Amino acid sequence: MVTKEEILEEMKQVSDPEIGMDVVNLGLVYDITINGDRVYIKMTMTAPTCPVTPWILSEAQRVVENIPGVEAADIELVWEPPWNPNMMTDEAKEALNM
């Protein structure tokens, strides 16, 4: 069975093209639930008006569904809690000079 750690590692392939940082290090992935071969992910964007939201969500679903043992991934876009820069990893903050 796939693990949350494996899913997060694969999701690092998905970057916000406007910021140039992956969704995991940006702190956009809020929750991952695994139920057999199905994965449920709650994630957000840096802003509700993010123009690349559909692309990011589609890419996240694609990379997760390419993990061996995952039949389907459901990505739910959530806005609570609101994203803020403090949710980024130290790696992201350093890379973005914050």
Side-chain angles (χ1 to χ4, degrees), residues 3-88:
T3 66
K4 289 182 182 183
E5 292 76 20
E6 290 173 304
I7 293 167
L8 287 169
E9 193 60 36
E10 290 301 310
M11 289 185 75
K12 287 181 180 178
Q13 296 178 51
V14 181
S15 291
D16 182 322
E18 293 184 315
I19 299 173
M21 179 62 58
D22 70 84
V23 296
V24 174
N25 282 300
L26 281 173
L28 301 180
V29 180
Y30 284 176
D31 186 54
I32 297 173
T33 303
I34 302 165
N35 187 2
D37 62 0
R38 295 191 70 88
V39 176
Y40 303 91
I41 299 169
K42 289 184 181 181
M43 63 183 294
T44 194
M45 297 293 118
T46 57
T49 58
C50 177
V52 292
T53 296
W55 182 86
I56 291 173
L57 296 175
S58 172
E59 281 298 293
Q61 182 176 10
R62 183 187 65 77
V63 299
V64 173
E65 288 180 344
N66 281 335
I67 300 171
V70 174
E71 180 64 30
D74 295 317
I75 313 286
E76 180 183 356
L77 181 62
V78 298
W79 299 109
E80 293 295 326
W83 180 87
N84 69 72
N86 290 329
M87 295 174 165
M88 294 189 296

